[in-house]
Amino acid sequence: MRNGRACRHNLNYWRFGDYIGIGAGAHGKLTDSSSWLVERAWRVRQPDEYLRKAGSEAAVSGRRQLLPADLLIEFMMNALRLKAGFAVELFPERTGLGEADLWAGLDELLGRGLLLHEDGIIRASESGWLFLDDVVAGLL
């Protein structure tokens, strides 16, 4: 990636930002910042059925509220996709959870050298990057 040419659309996902799913099969994530409830919603998958239902609640195929354990995993699964990593303070800012919730699963991964913590930034090491799915699974 050339400097300054990052895709803002993907950066929003990877920084655990909110987004609205519009269209057949689209998924969305919205956070109620007053209660820190995070909800995922998805639309009807079949285009013809979606078009018949568009504009009504019937176009929403399902909804699910994320549990605290889901928030940790989803945040890390997305944030660790950034080679530069993420600032520790972004975790409570985007999830409503405390930093203690973040650190609970990281000590072992840091100790094994799969993650690095430098100047308030957490990122995958070179070996952690190669096994990123395993790193995230280690948080379960």
Side-chain angles (χ1 to χ4, degrees):
M1 169 178 62
R2 283 188 267 161
N3 194 17
R5 303 299 250 165
C7 177
R8 285 185 285 165
H9 174 79
N10 287 344
L11 285 174
N12 183 55
Y13 294 144
W14 297 336
R15 291 179 178 147
F16 210 56
D18 288 344
Y19 52 94
I20 298 172
I22 300 172
H27 287 236
K29 174 191 163 282
L30 294 175
T31 304
D32 178 341
S33 60
S34 65
S35 63
W36 288 107
L37 295 177
V38 178
E39 181 182 80
R40 292 223 176 262
W42 51 96
R43 307 285 183 246
V44 172
R45 290 182 63 155
Q46 299 302 320
D48 57 338
E49 182 182 357
Y50 174 79
L51 286 174
R52 283 194 307 276
K53 296 177 177 181
S56 73
E57 187 60 29
V60 177
S61 181
R63 294 180 188 278
R64 183 172 78 88
Q65 203 163 68
L66 299 183
L67 301 172
D70 298 328
L71 292 169
L72 171 66
I73 297 302
E74 288 199 25
F75 178 88
M76 294 298 288
M77 181 176 61
N78 287 291
L80 289 175
R81 291 178 186 224
L82 297 166
K83 280 280 195 179
F86 66 92
V88 170
E89 69 258 11
L90 187 64
F91 179 76
E93 182 182 305
R94 295 294 169 95
T95 65
L97 300 174
E99 281 188 26
D101 296 306
L102 172 65
W103 291 111
L106 295 186
D107 286 335
E108 181 184 343
L109 296 167
L110 288 162
R112 291 174 48 201
L114 296 170
L115 293 179
L116 302 172
H117 178 226
E118 301 165 336
D119 300 322
I121 303 292
I122 295 174
R123 65 181 177 87
S125 65
E126 286 303 314
S127 58
W129 187 258
L130 294 173
F131 300 100
L132 201 51
D133 288 344
D134 293 330
V135 170
V136 173
L139 296 167
L140 293 174

PDB file of all heavy atoms in Angstrom, residues 39-77:
ATOM      1  N   GLU A  39     -24.926  -3.897  17.976  1.00  0.00           N
ATOM      2  CA  GLU A  39     -25.836  -4.804  17.276  1.00  0.00           C
ATOM      3  C   GLU A  39     -25.373  -5.013  15.840  1.00  0.00           C
ATOM      4  O   GLU A  39     -24.986  -4.076  15.157  1.00  0.00           O
ATOM      5  CB  GLU A  39     -27.260  -4.224  17.262  1.00  0.00           C
ATOM      6  CG  GLU A  39     -28.251  -5.132  16.566  1.00  0.00           C
ATOM      7  CD  GLU A  39     -29.636  -4.528  16.506  1.00  0.00           C
ATOM      8  OE1 GLU A  39     -29.870  -3.683  15.625  1.00  0.00           O
ATOM      9  OE2 GLU A  39     -30.464  -4.908  17.351  1.00  0.00           O
ATOM     10  N   ARG A  40     -25.429  -6.245  15.432  1.00  0.00           N
ATOM     11  CA  ARG A  40     -25.204  -6.601  14.028  1.00  0.00           C
ATOM     12  C   ARG A  40     -26.573  -6.897  13.429  1.00  0.00           C
ATOM     13  O   ARG A  40     -27.416  -7.507  14.065  1.00  0.00           O
ATOM     14  CB  ARG A  40     -24.336  -7.843  13.921  1.00  0.00           C
ATOM     15  CG  ARG A  40     -22.926  -7.606  14.373  1.00  0.00           C
ATOM     16  CD  ARG A  40     -21.954  -8.267  13.407  1.00  0.00           C
ATOM     17  NE  ARG A  40     -20.590  -7.976  13.758  1.00  0.00           N
ATOM     18  CZ  ARG A  40     -19.865  -7.038  13.193  1.00  0.00           C
ATOM     19  NH1 ARG A  40     -20.371  -6.292  12.251  1.00  0.00           N
ATOM     20  NH2 ARG A  40     -18.625  -6.840  13.553  1.00  0.00           N
ATOM     21  N   ALA A  41     -26.774  -6.449  12.199  1.00  0.00           N
ATOM     22  CA  ALA A  41     -28.025  -6.739  11.478  1.00  0.00           C
ATOM     23  C   ALA A  41     -27.653  -7.118  10.058  1.00  0.00           C
ATOM     24  O   ALA A  41     -26.654  -6.664   9.521  1.00  0.00           O
ATOM     25  CB  ALA A  41     -28.933  -5.510  11.479  1.00  0.00           C
ATOM     26  N   TRP A  42     -28.443  -7.977   9.472  1.00  0.00           N
ATOM     27  CA  TRP A  42     -28.196  -8.383   8.091  1.00  0.00           C
ATOM     28  C   TRP A  42     -29.499  -8.419   7.315  1.00  0.00           C
ATOM     29  O   TRP A  42     -30.570  -8.617   7.869  1.00  0.00           O
ATOM     30  CB  TRP A  42     -27.455  -9.720   8.021  1.00  0.00           C
ATOM     31  CG  TRP A  42     -28.068 -10.825   8.833  1.00  0.00           C
ATOM     32  CD1 TRP A  42     -28.928 -11.785   8.397  1.00  0.00           C
ATOM     33  CD2 TRP A  42     -27.878 -11.080  10.235  1.00  0.00           C
ATOM     34  NE1 TRP A  42     -29.283 -12.619   9.429  1.00  0.00           N
ATOM     35  CE2 TRP A  42     -28.644 -12.208  10.564  1.00  0.00           C
ATOM     36  CE3 TRP A  42     -27.129 -10.451  11.232  1.00  0.00           C
ATOM     37  CZ2 TRP A  42     -28.686 -12.730  11.853  1.00  0.00           C
ATOM     38  CZ3 TRP A  42     -27.181 -10.981  12.512  1.00  0.00           C
ATOM     39  CH2 TRP A  42     -27.943 -12.100  12.807  1.00  0.00           C
ATOM     40  N   ARG A  43     -29.380  -8.168   6.041  1.00  0.00           N
ATOM     41  CA  ARG A  43     -30.530  -8.048   5.151  1.00  0.00           C
ATOM     42  C   ARG A  43     -30.805  -9.376   4.443  1.00  0.00           C
ATOM     43  O   ARG A  43     -29.929 -10.243   4.350  1.00  0.00           O
ATOM     44  CB  ARG A  43     -30.283  -6.979   4.082  1.00  0.00           C
ATOM     45  CG  ARG A  43     -29.854  -5.631   4.635  1.00  0.00           C
ATOM     46  CD  ARG A  43     -31.040  -4.903   5.255  1.00  0.00           C
ATOM     47  NE  ARG A  43     -30.637  -3.579   5.726  1.00  0.00           N
ATOM     48  CZ  ARG A  43     -30.629  -3.224   6.995  1.00  0.00           C
ATOM     49  NH1 ARG A  43     -30.980  -4.056   7.917  1.00  0.00           N
ATOM     50  NH2 ARG A  43     -30.274  -2.013   7.342  1.00  0.00           N
ATOM     51  N   VAL A  44     -32.006  -9.485   3.921  1.00  0.00           N
ATOM     52  CA  VAL A  44     -32.410 -10.647   3.113  1.00  0.00           C
ATOM     53  C   VAL A  44     -31.387 -10.832   2.000  1.00  0.00           C
ATOM     54  O   VAL A  44     -30.967  -9.859   1.354  1.00  0.00           O
ATOM     55  CB  VAL A  44     -33.828 -10.413   2.533  1.00  0.00           C
ATOM     56  CG1 VAL A  44     -34.199 -11.487   1.544  1.00  0.00           C
ATOM     57  CG2 VAL A  44     -34.836 -10.314   3.666  1.00  0.00           C
ATOM     58  N   ARG A  45     -30.988 -12.078   1.739  1.00  0.00           N
ATOM     59  CA  ARG A  45     -29.904 -12.350   0.784  1.00  0.00           C
ATOM     60  C   ARG A  45     -30.338 -12.318  -0.678  1.00  0.00           C
ATOM     61  O   ARG A  45     -29.591 -11.882  -1.542  1.00  0.00           O
ATOM     62  CB  ARG A  45     -29.287 -13.717   1.085  1.00  0.00           C
ATOM     63  CG  ARG A  45     -28.504 -13.715   2.368  1.00  0.00           C
ATOM     64  CD  ARG A  45     -27.881 -15.039   2.585  1.00  0.00           C
ATOM     65  NE  ARG A  45     -26.933 -15.279   1.491  1.00  0.00           N
ATOM     66  CZ  ARG A  45     -25.903 -16.072   1.558  1.00  0.00           C
ATOM     67  NH1 ARG A  45     -25.666 -16.721   2.659  1.00  0.00           N
ATOM     68  NH2 ARG A  45     -25.100 -16.230   0.541  1.00  0.00           N
ATOM     69  N   GLN A  46     -31.512 -12.840  -0.971  1.00  0.00           N
ATOM     70  CA  GLN A  46     -31.951 -12.951  -2.363  1.00  0.00           C
ATOM     71  C   GLN A  46     -32.364 -11.587  -2.900  1.00  0.00           C
ATOM     72  O   GLN A  46     -33.255 -10.936  -2.347  1.00  0.00           O
ATOM     73  CB  GLN A  46     -33.122 -13.938  -2.484  1.00  0.00           C
ATOM     74  CG  GLN A  46     -32.779 -15.350  -2.049  1.00  0.00           C
ATOM     75  CD  GLN A  46     -31.626 -15.926  -2.842  1.00  0.00           C
ATOM     76  OE1 GLN A  46     -31.519 -15.729  -4.050  1.00  0.00           O
ATOM     77  NE2 GLN A  46     -30.724 -16.620  -2.160  1.00  0.00           N
ATOM     78  N   PRO A  47     -31.741 -11.137  -4.000  1.00  0.00           N
ATOM     79  CA  PRO A  47     -32.032  -9.793  -4.517  1.00  0.00           C
ATOM     80  C   PRO A  47     -33.507  -9.532  -4.825  1.00  0.00           C
ATOM     81  O   PRO A  47     -34.023  -8.468  -4.465  1.00  0.00           O
ATOM     82  CB  PRO A  47     -31.183  -9.712  -5.789  1.00  0.00           C
ATOM     83  CG  PRO A  47     -30.059 -10.657  -5.538  1.00  0.00           C
ATOM     84  CD  PRO A  47     -30.664 -11.783  -4.746  1.00  0.00           C
ATOM     85  N   ASP A  48     -34.190 -10.481  -5.438  1.00  0.00           N
ATOM     86  CA  ASP A  48     -35.600 -10.237  -5.768  1.00  0.00           C
ATOM     87  C   ASP A  48     -36.450 -10.108  -4.510  1.00  0.00           C
ATOM     88  O   ASP A  48     -37.322  -9.243  -4.411  1.00  0.00           O
ATOM     89  CB  ASP A  48     -36.137 -11.317  -6.714  1.00  0.00           C
ATOM     90  CG  ASP A  48     -36.010 -12.726  -6.166  1.00  0.00           C
ATOM     91  OD1 ASP A  48     -35.165 -12.966  -5.277  1.00  0.00           O
ATOM     92  OD2 ASP A  48     -36.755 -13.609  -6.635  1.00  0.00           O
ATOM     93  N   GLU A  49     -36.182 -10.952  -3.518  1.00  0.00           N
ATOM     94  CA  GLU A  49     -36.920 -10.868  -2.264  1.00  0.00           C
ATOM     95  C   GLU A  49     -36.572  -9.569  -1.525  1.00  0.00           C
ATOM     96  O   GLU A  49     -37.452  -8.905  -0.965  1.00  0.00           O
ATOM     97  CB  GLU A  49     -36.591 -12.076  -1.374  1.00  0.00           C
ATOM     98  CG  GLU A  49     -37.357 -12.092  -0.069  1.00  0.00           C
ATOM     99  CD  GLU A  49     -36.982 -13.257   0.829  1.00  0.00           C
ATOM    100  OE1 GLU A  49     -36.169 -14.106   0.429  1.00  0.00           O
ATOM    101  OE2 GLU A  49     -37.522 -13.291   1.938  1.00  0.00           O
ATOM    102  N   TYR A  50     -35.298  -9.199  -1.548  1.00  0.00           N
ATOM    103  CA  TYR A  50     -34.894  -7.960  -0.900  1.00  0.00           C
ATOM    104  C   TYR A  50     -35.607  -6.767  -1.534  1.00  0.00           C
ATOM    105  O   TYR A  50     -36.111  -5.885  -0.830  1.00  0.00           O
ATOM    106  CB  TYR A  50     -33.368  -7.767  -0.980  1.00  0.00           C
ATOM    107  CG  TYR A  50     -32.947  -6.429  -0.435  1.00  0.00           C
ATOM    108  CD1 TYR A  50     -32.853  -6.210   0.929  1.00  0.00           C
ATOM    109  CD2 TYR A  50     -32.697  -5.360  -1.290  1.00  0.00           C
ATOM    110  CE1 TYR A  50     -32.505  -4.974   1.436  1.00  0.00           C
ATOM    111  CE2 TYR A  50     -32.341  -4.118  -0.789  1.00  0.00           C
ATOM    112  CZ  TYR A  50     -32.259  -3.931   0.574  1.00  0.00           C
ATOM    113  OH  TYR A  50     -31.929  -2.701   1.069  1.00  0.00           O
ATOM    114  N   LEU A  51     -35.676  -6.728  -2.856  1.00  0.00           N
ATOM    115  CA  LEU A  51     -36.327  -5.606  -3.543  1.00  0.00           C
ATOM    116  C   LEU A  51     -37.807  -5.514  -3.178  1.00  0.00           C
ATOM    117  O   LEU A  51     -38.348  -4.419  -3.029  1.00  0.00           O
ATOM    118  CB  LEU A  51     -36.150  -5.739  -5.051  1.00  0.00           C
ATOM    119  CG  LEU A  51     -34.749  -5.407  -5.565  1.00  0.00           C
ATOM    120  CD1 LEU A  51     -34.640  -5.715  -7.053  1.00  0.00           C
ATOM    121  CD2 LEU A  51     -34.397  -3.962  -5.275  1.00  0.00           C
ATOM    122  N   ARG A  52     -38.477  -6.659  -3.026  1.00  0.00           N
ATOM    123  CA  ARG A  52     -39.895  -6.647  -2.624  1.00  0.00           C
ATOM    124  C   ARG A  52     -40.065  -6.089  -1.209  1.00  0.00           C
ATOM    125  O   ARG A  52     -41.058  -5.454  -0.906  1.00  0.00           O
ATOM    126  CB  ARG A  52     -40.487  -8.057  -2.699  1.00  0.00           C
ATOM    127  CG  ARG A  52     -40.822  -8.534  -4.086  1.00  0.00           C
ATOM    128  CD  ARG A  52     -41.722  -9.775  -4.080  1.00  0.00           C
ATOM    129  NE  ARG A  52     -41.211 -10.864  -3.269  1.00  0.00           N
ATOM    130  CZ  ARG A  52     -40.317 -11.767  -3.680  1.00  0.00           C
ATOM    131  NH1 ARG A  52     -39.821 -11.702  -4.894  1.00  0.00           N
ATOM    132  NH2 ARG A  52     -39.923 -12.739  -2.886  1.00  0.00           N
ATOM    133  N   LYS A  53     -39.067  -6.337  -0.346  1.00  0.00           N
ATOM    134  CA  LYS A  53     -39.174  -5.950   1.059  1.00  0.00           C
ATOM    135  C   LYS A  53     -38.438  -4.654   1.397  1.00  0.00           C
ATOM    136  O   LYS A  53     -38.560  -4.142   2.518  1.00  0.00           O
ATOM    137  CB  LYS A  53     -38.633  -7.075   1.942  1.00  0.00           C
ATOM    138  CG  LYS A  53     -39.449  -8.352   1.832  1.00  0.00           C
ATOM    139  CD  LYS A  53     -38.849  -9.463   2.650  1.00  0.00           C
ATOM    140  CE  LYS A  53     -39.733 -10.707   2.588  1.00  0.00           C
ATOM    141  NZ  LYS A  53     -39.174 -11.798   3.391  1.00  0.00           N
ATOM    142  N   ALA A  54     -37.659  -4.126   0.463  1.00  0.00           N
ATOM    143  CA  ALA A  54     -36.839  -2.930   0.726  1.00  0.00           C
ATOM    144  C   ALA A  54     -37.697  -1.792   1.261  1.00  0.00           C
ATOM    145  O   ALA A  54     -38.826  -1.578   0.825  1.00  0.00           O
ATOM    146  CB  ALA A  54     -36.127  -2.501  -0.550  1.00  0.00           C
ATOM    147  N   GLY A  55     -37.138  -1.080   2.227  1.00  0.00           N
ATOM    148  CA  GLY A  55     -37.852   0.046   2.817  1.00  0.00           C
ATOM    149  C   GLY A  55     -38.728  -0.344   3.990  1.00  0.00           C
ATOM    150  O   GLY A  55     -39.320   0.519   4.629  1.00  0.00           O
ATOM    151  N   SER A  56     -38.805  -1.644   4.270  1.00  0.00           N
ATOM    152  CA  SER A  56     -39.597  -2.097   5.416  1.00  0.00           C
ATOM    153  C   SER A  56     -38.713  -2.932   6.342  1.00  0.00           C
ATOM    154  O   SER A  56     -37.640  -3.389   5.952  1.00  0.00           O
ATOM    155  CB  SER A  56     -40.796  -2.941   4.948  1.00  0.00           C
ATOM    156  OG  SER A  56     -40.365  -4.207   4.503  1.00  0.00           O
ATOM    157  N   GLU A  57     -39.179  -3.136   7.543  1.00  0.00           N
ATOM    158  CA  GLU A  57     -38.432  -3.945   8.509  1.00  0.00           C
ATOM    159  C   GLU A  57     -38.272  -5.389   8.022  1.00  0.00           C
ATOM    160  O   GLU A  57     -37.346  -6.092   8.421  1.00  0.00           O
ATOM    161  CB  GLU A  57     -39.133  -3.901   9.873  1.00  0.00           C
ATOM    162  CG  GLU A  57     -38.378  -4.563  11.000  1.00  0.00           C
ATOM    163  CD  GLU A  57     -37.003  -3.961  11.293  1.00  0.00           C
ATOM    164  OE1 GLU A  57     -36.794  -2.762  11.052  1.00  0.00           O
ATOM    165  OE2 GLU A  57     -36.116  -4.697  11.778  1.00  0.00           O
ATOM    166  N   ALA A  58     -39.152  -5.826   7.133  1.00  0.00           N
ATOM    167  CA  ALA A  58     -39.079  -7.190   6.600  1.00  0.00           C
ATOM    168  C   ALA A  58     -37.808  -7.428   5.778  1.00  0.00           C
ATOM    169  O   ALA A  58     -37.416  -8.574   5.558  1.00  0.00           O
ATOM    170  CB  ALA A  58     -40.311  -7.489   5.746  1.00  0.00           C
ATOM    171  N   ALA A  59     -37.142  -6.367   5.343  1.00  0.00           N
ATOM    172  CA  ALA A  59     -35.889  -6.508   4.586  1.00  0.00           C
ATOM    173  C   ALA A  59     -34.739  -6.943   5.498  1.00  0.00           C
ATOM    174  O   ALA A  59     -33.721  -7.430   5.021  1.00  0.00           O
ATOM    175  CB  ALA A  59     -35.533  -5.207   3.885  1.00  0.00           C
ATOM    176  N   VAL A  60     -34.922  -6.773   6.827  1.00  0.00           N
ATOM    177  CA  VAL A  60     -33.910  -7.212   7.783  1.00  0.00           C
ATOM    178  C   VAL A  60     -34.145  -8.685   8.065  1.00  0.00           C
ATOM    179  O   VAL A  60     -35.199  -9.082   8.549  1.00  0.00           O
ATOM    180  CB  VAL A  60     -33.975  -6.388   9.091  1.00  0.00           C
ATOM    181  CG1 VAL A  60     -32.962  -6.902  10.107  1.00  0.00           C
ATOM    182  CG2 VAL A  60     -33.749  -4.922   8.796  1.00  0.00           C
ATOM    183  N   SER A  61     -33.149  -9.486   7.746  1.00  0.00           N
ATOM    184  CA  SER A  61     -33.254 -10.927   7.907  1.00  0.00           C
ATOM    185  C   SER A  61     -32.947 -11.381   9.326  1.00  0.00           C
ATOM    186  O   SER A  61     -33.452 -12.381   9.799  1.00  0.00           O
ATOM    187  CB  SER A  61     -32.304 -11.612   6.928  1.00  0.00           C
ATOM    188  OG  SER A  61     -32.390 -13.001   7.024  1.00  0.00           O
ATOM    189  N   GLY A  62     -32.074 -10.644  10.026  1.00  0.00           N
ATOM    190  CA  GLY A  62     -31.722 -11.021  11.389  1.00  0.00           C
ATOM    191  C   GLY A  62     -30.966  -9.924  12.102  1.00  0.00           C
ATOM    192  O   GLY A  62     -30.419  -9.011  11.481  1.00  0.00           O
ATOM    193  N   ARG A  63     -30.956 -10.030  13.429  1.00  0.00           N
ATOM    194  CA  ARG A  63     -30.238  -9.096  14.292  1.00  0.00           C
ATOM    195  C   ARG A  63     -29.611  -9.893  15.426  1.00  0.00           C
ATOM    196  O   ARG A  63     -30.178 -10.895  15.866  1.00  0.00           O
ATOM    197  CB  ARG A  63     -31.180  -8.071  14.922  1.00  0.00           C
ATOM    198  CG  ARG A  63     -31.829  -7.131  13.970  1.00  0.00           C
ATOM    199  CD  ARG A  63     -32.742  -6.154  14.748  1.00  0.00           C
ATOM    200  NE  ARG A  63     -33.518  -5.350  13.847  1.00  0.00           N
ATOM    201  CZ  ARG A  63     -33.076  -4.253  13.240  1.00  0.00           C
ATOM    202  NH1 ARG A  63     -31.848  -3.849  13.446  1.00  0.00           N
ATOM    203  NH2 ARG A  63     -33.850  -3.571  12.418  1.00  0.00           N
ATOM    204  N   ARG A  64     -28.478  -9.403  15.885  1.00  0.00           N
ATOM    205  CA  ARG A  64     -27.825 -10.049  17.035  1.00  0.00           C
ATOM    206  C   ARG A  64     -27.047  -9.002  17.809  1.00  0.00           C
ATOM    207  O   ARG A  64     -26.299  -8.218  17.238  1.00  0.00           O
ATOM    208  CB  ARG A  64     -26.879 -11.144  16.561  1.00  0.00           C
ATOM    209  CG  ARG A  64     -26.209 -11.911  17.678  1.00  0.00           C
ATOM    210  CD  ARG A  64     -25.424 -13.105  17.166  1.00  0.00           C
ATOM    211  NE  ARG A  64     -24.159 -12.745  16.596  1.00  0.00           N
ATOM    212  CZ  ARG A  64     -23.018 -12.630  17.273  1.00  0.00           C
ATOM    213  NH1 ARG A  64     -23.004 -12.848  18.579  1.00  0.00           N
ATOM    214  NH2 ARG A  64     -21.900 -12.299  16.675  1.00  0.00           N
ATOM    215  N   GLN A  65     -27.249  -9.009  19.121  1.00  0.00           N
ATOM    216  CA  GLN A  65     -26.506  -8.114  19.988  1.00  0.00           C
ATOM    217  C   GLN A  65     -25.217  -8.821  20.407  1.00  0.00           C
ATOM    218  O   GLN A  65     -25.246  -9.995  20.803  1.00  0.00           O
ATOM    219  CB  GLN A  65     -27.344  -7.789  21.214  1.00  0.00           C
ATOM    220  CG  GLN A  65     -26.959  -6.512  21.872  1.00  0.00           C
ATOM    221  CD  GLN A  65     -28.065  -6.064  22.782  1.00  0.00           C
ATOM    222  OE1 GLN A  65     -28.309  -6.716  23.776  1.00  0.00           O
ATOM    223  NE2 GLN A  65     -28.713  -4.973  22.435  1.00  0.00           N
ATOM    224  N   LEU A  66     -24.097  -8.125  20.298  1.00  0.00           N
ATOM    225  CA  LEU A  66     -22.816  -8.732  20.635  1.00  0.00           C
ATOM    226  C   LEU A  66     -22.611  -8.762  22.142  1.00  0.00           C
ATOM    227  O   LEU A  66     -22.874  -7.780  22.837  1.00  0.00           O
ATOM    228  CB  LEU A  66     -21.668  -7.965  19.974  1.00  0.00           C
ATOM    229  CG  LEU A  66     -21.672  -7.917  18.453  1.00  0.00           C
ATOM    230  CD1 LEU A  66     -20.435  -7.199  17.941  1.00  0.00           C
ATOM    231  CD2 LEU A  66     -21.757  -9.306  17.852  1.00  0.00           C
ATOM    232  N   LEU A  67     -22.132  -9.885  22.624  1.00  0.00           N
ATOM    233  CA  LEU A  67     -21.790 -10.040  24.036  1.00  0.00           C
ATOM    234  C   LEU A  67     -20.378  -9.495  24.260  1.00  0.00           C
ATOM    235  O   LEU A  67     -19.603  -9.357  23.310  1.00  0.00           O
ATOM    236  CB  LEU A  67     -21.843 -11.520  24.413  1.00  0.00           C
ATOM    237  CG  LEU A  67     -23.189 -12.209  24.209  1.00  0.00           C
ATOM    238  CD1 LEU A  67     -23.057 -13.708  24.421  1.00  0.00           C
ATOM    239  CD2 LEU A  67     -24.225 -11.614  25.143  1.00  0.00           C
ATOM    240  N   PRO A  68     -20.009  -9.193  25.510  1.00  0.00           N
ATOM    241  CA  PRO A  68     -18.651  -8.677  25.762  1.00  0.00           C
ATOM    242  C   PRO A  68     -17.543  -9.550  25.175  1.00  0.00           C
ATOM    243  O   PRO A  68     -16.580  -9.029  24.615  1.00  0.00           O
ATOM    244  CB  PRO A  68     -18.586  -8.612  27.292  1.00  0.00           C
ATOM    245  CG  PRO A  68     -20.006  -8.343  27.695  1.00  0.00           C
ATOM    246  CD  PRO A  68     -20.832  -9.166  26.721  1.00  0.00           C
ATOM    247  N   ALA A  69     -17.657 -10.873  25.276  1.00  0.00           N
ATOM    248  CA  ALA A  69     -16.630 -11.758  24.707  1.00  0.00           C
ATOM    249  C   ALA A  69     -16.578 -11.603  23.184  1.00  0.00           C
ATOM    250  O   ALA A  69     -15.498 -11.655  22.587  1.00  0.00           O
ATOM    251  CB  ALA A  69     -16.901 -13.204  25.085  1.00  0.00           C
ATOM    252  N   ASP A  70     -17.736 -11.402  22.551  1.00  0.00           N
ATOM    253  CA  ASP A  70     -17.775 -11.182  21.100  1.00  0.00           C
ATOM    254  C   ASP A  70     -17.060  -9.883  20.737  1.00  0.00           C
ATOM    255  O   ASP A  70     -16.358  -9.812  19.729  1.00  0.00           O
ATOM    256  CB  ASP A  70     -19.218 -11.071  20.589  1.00  0.00           C
ATOM    257  CG  ASP A  70     -20.042 -12.325  20.801  1.00  0.00           C
ATOM    258  OD1 ASP A  70     -19.482 -13.430  20.760  1.00  0.00           O
ATOM    259  OD2 ASP A  70     -21.271 -12.188  21.005  1.00  0.00           O
ATOM    260  N   LEU A  71     -17.265  -8.857  21.560  1.00  0.00           N
ATOM    261  CA  LEU A  71     -16.651  -7.555  21.291  1.00  0.00           C
ATOM    262  C   LEU A  71     -15.133  -7.661  21.269  1.00  0.00           C
ATOM    263  O   LEU A  71     -14.473  -7.113  20.387  1.00  0.00           O
ATOM    264  CB  LEU A  71     -17.092  -6.519  22.326  1.00  0.00           C
ATOM    265  CG  LEU A  71     -18.552  -6.107  22.276  1.00  0.00           C
ATOM    266  CD1 LEU A  71     -18.911  -5.285  23.505  1.00  0.00           C
ATOM    267  CD2 LEU A  71     -18.854  -5.347  21.008  1.00  0.00           C
ATOM    268  N   LEU A  72     -14.574  -8.369  22.243  1.00  0.00           N
ATOM    269  CA  LEU A  72     -13.120  -8.543  22.302  1.00  0.00           C
ATOM    270  C   LEU A  72     -12.613  -9.245  21.047  1.00  0.00           C
ATOM    271  O   LEU A  72     -11.693  -8.763  20.387  1.00  0.00           O
ATOM    272  CB  LEU A  72     -12.717  -9.345  23.543  1.00  0.00           C
ATOM    273  CG  LEU A  72     -11.251  -9.767  23.595  1.00  0.00           C
ATOM    274  CD1 LEU A  72     -10.340  -8.556  23.716  1.00  0.00           C
ATOM    275  CD2 LEU A  72     -11.012 -10.735  24.724  1.00  0.00           C
ATOM    276  N   ILE A  73     -13.223 -10.365  20.706  1.00  0.00           N
ATOM    277  CA  ILE A  73     -12.768 -11.154  19.554  1.00  0.00           C
ATOM    278  C   ILE A  73     -12.935 -10.361  18.265  1.00  0.00           C
ATOM    279  O   ILE A  73     -12.022 -10.296  17.437  1.00  0.00           O
ATOM    280  CB  ILE A  73     -13.539 -12.492  19.470  1.00  0.00           C
ATOM    281  CG1 ILE A  73     -13.247 -13.353  20.699  1.00  0.00           C
ATOM    282  CG2 ILE A  73     -13.211 -13.226  18.188  1.00  0.00           C
ATOM    283  CD1 ILE A  73     -11.791 -13.684  20.915  1.00  0.00           C
ATOM    284  N   GLU A  74     -14.087  -9.760  18.057  1.00  0.00           N
ATOM    285  CA  GLU A  74     -14.323  -9.023  16.812  1.00  0.00           C
ATOM    286  C   GLU A  74     -13.411  -7.801  16.701  1.00  0.00           C
ATOM    287  O   GLU A  74     -12.897  -7.510  15.625  1.00  0.00           O
ATOM    288  CB  GLU A  74     -15.789  -8.627  16.685  1.00  0.00           C
ATOM    289  CG  GLU A  74     -16.664  -9.829  16.376  1.00  0.00           C
ATOM    290  CD  GLU A  74     -18.004  -9.436  15.792  1.00  0.00           C
ATOM    291  OE1 GLU A  74     -18.108  -8.348  15.191  1.00  0.00           O
ATOM    292  OE2 GLU A  74     -18.943 -10.226  15.939  1.00  0.00           O
ATOM    293  N   PHE A  75     -13.214  -7.112  17.812  1.00  0.00           N
ATOM    294  CA  PHE A  75     -12.305  -5.965  17.777  1.00  0.00           C
ATOM    295  C   PHE A  75     -10.909  -6.428  17.372  1.00  0.00           C
ATOM    296  O   PHE A  75     -10.282  -5.859  16.471  1.00  0.00           O
ATOM    297  CB  PHE A  75     -12.262  -5.266  19.140  1.00  0.00           C
ATOM    298  CG  PHE A  75     -11.297  -4.122  19.162  1.00  0.00           C
ATOM    299  CD1 PHE A  75     -11.701  -2.853  18.787  1.00  0.00           C
ATOM    300  CD2 PHE A  75      -9.968  -4.312  19.530  1.00  0.00           C
ATOM    301  CE1 PHE A  75     -10.803  -1.791  18.780  1.00  0.00           C
ATOM    302  CE2 PHE A  75      -9.063  -3.261  19.528  1.00  0.00           C
ATOM    303  CZ  PHE A  75      -9.488  -2.002  19.154  1.00  0.00           C
ATOM    304  N   MET A  76     -10.396  -7.451  18.040  1.00  0.00           N
ATOM    305  CA  MET A  76      -9.040  -7.916  17.764  1.00  0.00           C
ATOM    306  C   MET A  76      -8.914  -8.508  16.358  1.00  0.00           C
ATOM    307  O   MET A  76      -7.913  -8.293  15.678  1.00  0.00           O
ATOM    308  CB  MET A  76      -8.619  -8.947  18.817  1.00  0.00           C
ATOM    309  CG  MET A  76      -8.485  -8.354  20.201  1.00  0.00           C
ATOM    310  SD  MET A  76      -7.235  -7.075  20.327  1.00  0.00           S
ATOM    311  CE  MET A  76      -5.761  -8.065  20.214  1.00  0.00           C
ATOM    312  N   MET A  77      -9.924  -9.240  15.928  1.00  0.00           N
ATOM    313  CA  MET A  77      -9.899  -9.839  14.590  1.00  0.00           C
ATOM    314  C   MET A  77      -9.765  -8.755  13.522  1.00  0.00           C
ATOM    315  O   MET A  77      -9.077  -8.937  12.534  1.00  0.00           O
ATOM    316  CB  MET A  77     -11.178 -10.649  14.366  1.00  0.00           C
ATOM    317  CG  MET A  77     -11.254 -11.344  13.035  1.00  0.00           C
ATOM    318  SD  MET A  77     -12.730 -12.372  12.899  1.00  0.00           S
ATOM    319  CE  MET A  77     -14.027 -11.171  13.079  1.00  0.00           C
TER     320      MET A  77
END
